[in-house]
Amino acid sequence: MIIDVHTHTPQFRNAVPEDRRRINTTWRPDAARPSNYSWAEYREAQSTVDKSIVFGIAWEPGERVGGSNGPKDEGDVADRVNDGTAAFVHAYPDELIGFMAVHPYDLQLMDEMERSRVDLGLKGVKLGANYQSYDPLDRRALAVYQYAERHGLPILFHTGTSAVKTAPIPAAHPLIVDEIAMRYPELRIIMAHMGHPWTVDTVVVVRKHANVYTDISGLFYRPYTSYEALIKATEWNVLDKILFGSDFPIATPAETMAGLRGVNDILEGTRMPRVPQDKIEEIIHRDSLALLGLD
């Protein structure tokens, strides 16, 4: 079984109108990618995996749109984002698991978490303190972690840098997760993108905490960063805590698998240490749902 733990909710149930199509040229150094897409485009890309975790982003409390260029961008529609995710998941329950997107500074925060869990059936939480411009140790953010821990909701945190101009980079440094995990030891956490470029910081946090994992989304198209991250995980013996994730639409699962399997290609003709190929296959085929309590 292949589980993709990191994908983003489509904004359009049907085909994207041509005048609404947006292409992002800053996410990847090697390719431009569409930042809005349809249910069908999502499902075609995800057809190479068995199940995908899908979520949106609550960019600001009460705002209507946001995306790769920050708040007010049309890339991601934030208005009732959890309803959009839930509708998509309920249409394809054998393929999808939905996570809620909430903003810690929203006055209706706890009501929205309860509604998303109970009424919409969403199984986890997506947060990105940099994108959402909140203090990850603010008391309102702590209330999110406490609720998630109490109800068995895993949290996927964006960790690492971002090209979004409005996103404060320190808010998503991976070492912040160490503090959160110490306060909420039963909370299952996924640190996205191995915290790039601070991959060694992510590795030591994952090593320290039993319920903290990381995903490899957004790494393969920077070959040295990808190799460096995985060889650090090899040396620190945490390859078994790395989860497969694509970050669709930024990359597809097929691209991500190929990139993982080719991580050692840049070493040809050198004596540099290799990431074990059998461990790479274990990452691709890992039962992430069982680890996250979602099976």
Side-chain angles (χ1 to χ4, degrees):
M1 178 173 283
I2 302 177
I3 310 298
D4 188 338
V5 302
H6 193 135
T7 73
H8 296 268
T9 304
Q11 302 90 345
F12 293 88
R13 181 185 295 257
N14 300 310
V16 181
E18 286 307 312
D19 63 341
R20 300 288 299 281
R21 180 75 76 175
R22 299 289 182 270
I23 302 296
N24 187 286
T25 60
T26 63
W27 283 334
R28 289 175 56 164
D30 62 334
R33 296 290 298 169
S35 58
N36 51 11
Y37 41 97
S38 67
W39 285 16
E41 289 170 317
Y42 176 103
R43 293 184 67 222
E44 180 180 6
Q46 295 301 120
S47 63
T48 54
V49 305
D50 296 287
K51 206 144 195 170
S52 304
I53 293 175
V54 62
F55 45 74
I57 299 175
W59 286 91
E60 287 183 343
E63 75 139 342
R64 291 297 180 262
V65 292
S68 58
N69 294 315
K72 309 300 182 273
D73 180 14
E74 281 196 32
D76 295 323
V77 179
D79 185 25
R80 300 188 70 81
V81 62
N82 294 322
D83 294 88
T85 297
F88 187 40
V89 170
H90 293 161
Y92 305 103
D94 293 336
E95 302 173 16
L96 303 170
I97 294 174
F99 278 21
M100 68 184 76
V102 295
H103 198 293
Y105 296 171
D106 193 322
L107 295 177
Q108 306 301 318
L109 169 64
M110 302 315 297
D111 288 342
E112 179 60 18
M113 292 194 76
E114 186 76 359
R115 185 183 78 92
S116 295
R117 181 181 69 88
V118 176
D119 298 341
L120 301 183
L122 301 179
K123 304 297 186 183
V125 184
K126 168 62 194 290
L127 292 170
N130 60 334
Y131 295 133
Q132 297 173 282
S133 297
Y134 72 85
D135 177 352
L137 298 179
D138 182 282
R139 61 177 178 78
R140 293 165 288 185
L142 300 184
V144 176
Y145 315 149
Q146 185 179 50
Y147 181 96
E149 183 183 49
R150 183 166 68 250
H151 292 288
L153 303 174
I155 297 181
L156 191 151
F157 287 99
H158 174 90
T159 53
T161 191
S162 167
V164 174
K165 305 307 180 187
T166 59
I169 291 174
H173 195 284
L175 289 182
I176 292 171
V177 176
D178 180 45
E179 177 67 29
I180 296 169
M182 284 192 291
R183 297 190 191 195
Y184 304 97
E186 300 305 315
L187 175 62
R188 289 181 171 93
I189 293 172
I190 307 169
M191 302 173 67
H193 317 303
M194 287 193 75
H196 63 80
W198 302 292
T199 54
V200 72
D201 295 322
T202 297
V203 164
V204 297
V205 174
V206 165
R207 175 176 178 259
K208 178 180 177 182
H209 298 285
N211 287 319
V212 177
Y213 302 90
T214 187
D215 76 41
I216 47 78
S217 62
L219 289 182
F220 76 87
Y221 44 79
R222 295 182 176 91
Y224 183 75
T225 297
S226 181
Y227 166 73
E228 181 186 43
L230 287 168
I231 203 65
K232 287 173 180 174
T234 303
E235 293 179 345
W236 286 90
N237 197 31
V238 296
L239 286 173
D240 61 338
K241 299 192 76 182
I242 296 178
L243 311 183
F244 180 80
S246 68
D247 203 13
F248 182 82
I250 299 175
T252 67
E255 287 179 298
T256 305
M257 287 181 224
L260 267 175
R261 288 170 172 145
V263 68
N264 294 316
D265 290 354
I266 62 171
L267 306 177
E268 187 175 354
T270 77
R271 297 178 62 188
M272 295 285 284
R274 268 63 174 172
V275 181
Q277 287 292 335
D278 62 328
K279 295 296 184 181
I280 291 171
E281 292 303 316
E282 287 179 14
I283 293 171
I284 293 172
H285 295 278
R286 176 150 292 130
D287 188 355
S288 299
L289 300 184
L291 296 175
L292 299 172
L294 297 174
D295 54 343

